[in-house]
Amino acid sequence: MPASQRLIVLAGLSAMMAALAGCAAFNRPYPAKRCFALDIAQRPEPLRQPTVATMRVRQFRVAPPYHQQQFVYKLGESEFTRDYYHEFIAPPAALITDQAISWLGESGVFRATCHGTSAADHDLVLEAVVTGLYGDYTDASNPTAVVAIHFFVLAEEGARTSVVFDQAYSEHISLGSHEPDRLAHGWSEGLQRILACLETDLRPAPSVSISLATPGTERAWSSGVARERSSDGEHE
């Protein structure tokens, strides 16, 4: 066989092998995507005598970069990454808001607690910003789930809106492993602790007659100082 024909044959074989290798790589299965919810196992102890106020809970806002469904991991002081194969089953803003409505409704702190889309009359409005929702893996030997939420309670008086409660909470839950299901469980535990603290702080809330009183009436239910809590439950 002439040398020119041999070169053509070799080139053809090389192209065929490259195509087969490409097909094999293309057909390689990707990891299956897994979805997680926030599941709070413990429920609040209902109050026997709730306040006469009714509460409307607006959907919480989740600050970037934690607002999307993909899990977020902190790898260094200013280094974060997303996990495209492990995510929340719904936007985290909706999941956390629904858990807060359920917790406050079952606690009996208020006469009624409704979603922000409800047309029911209300006396107070709860807003919140989730300022942290990530797995902290900066210390590989001690991974933690971080949840941080800043709550505001508003009293609406005609065209005027007053802030009657302003408090931030943060929980750091030790995981013991880097598995995504452990991280989802840690977030659930952290959210449960935050909602329990919120409920406790709202219990001494004034009745609606005080919340909507004339200007100058004492409105503050809390100092507004952020609470930092670790997995042992102690304030830092």
Side-chain angles (χ1 to χ4, degrees):
M1 181 183 294
S4 59
Q5 291 183 350
R6 286 200 299 270
L7 289 174
I8 293 173
V9 171
L10 290 174
L13 290 174
S14 298
M16 183 182 299
M17 295 299 294
L20 290 174
C23 290
F26 182 77
N27 292 326
R28 186 179 300 125
Y30 289 98
K33 182 173 281 192
R34 300 174 64 193
C35 298
F36 298 84
L38 293 172
D39 182 20
I40 297 181
Q42 182 179 336
R43 307 315 301 175
E45 186 71 26
L47 290 179
R48 294 182 179 179
Q49 295 182 332
T51 66
V52 299
T54 56
M55 175 70 80
R56 172 178 286 182
V57 181
R58 290 177 179 158
Q59 179 155 307
F60 296 171
R61 184 172 68 85
V62 180
Y66 319 112
H67 60 299
Q68 297 183 6
Q69 290 180 224
Q70 291 89 1
F71 285 5
V72 175
Y73 307 141
K74 183 177 182 181
L75 305 179
E77 183 176 351
S78 58
E79 181 184 0
F80 289 81
T81 188
R82 293 187 184 278
D83 187 340
Y84 291 95
Y85 298 103
H86 300 94
E87 64 180 18
F88 292 108
I89 196 168
L95 294 177
I96 296 174
T97 304
D98 288 346
Q99 290 291 345
I101 293 172
S102 177
W103 185 280
L104 291 177
E106 292 181 28
S107 71
V109 172
F110 300 99
R111 181 166 56 87
T113 303
C114 60
H115 196 278
T117 57
S118 172
D121 290 337
H122 62 282
D123 305 307
L124 302 169
V125 175
L126 177 66
E127 295 184 346
V129 179
V130 179
T131 56
L133 186 65
Y134 59 91
D136 190 345
Y137 298 147
T138 54
D139 182 355
S141 63
N142 183 32
T144 60
V146 178
V147 187
I149 308 178
H150 197 154
F151 293 96
F152 304 89
V153 175
L154 312 176
E156 299 175 338
E157 310 166 45
R160 179 186 177 190
T161 301
S162 302
V163 178
V164 297
F165 179 86
D166 177 352
Q167 183 67 278
Y169 306 86
S170 179
E171 288 285 348
H172 302 255
I173 307 298
S174 231
L175 301 178
S177 77
H178 294 76
E179 294 301 318
D181 55 342
R182 287 296 306 160
L183 178 57
H185 179 79
W187 280 328
S188 297
E189 182 179 343
L191 179 58
Q192 173 187 307
R193 294 186 180 187
I194 286 176
L195 293 177
C197 287
L198 175 67
E199 174 201 345
T200 299
D201 290 343
L202 290 178
R203 284 184 179 182
S207 67
V208 63
S209 60
I210 296 177
S211 296
L212 305 180
T214 56
T217 303
E218 182 179 358
R219 296 177 178 276
W221 301 346
S222 171
S223 63
V225 178
R227 295 191 176 197
E228 293 285 343
R229 292 166 57 88
S230 59
S231 59
D232 59 8
E234 296 181 354
H235 295 292
E236 295 179 356

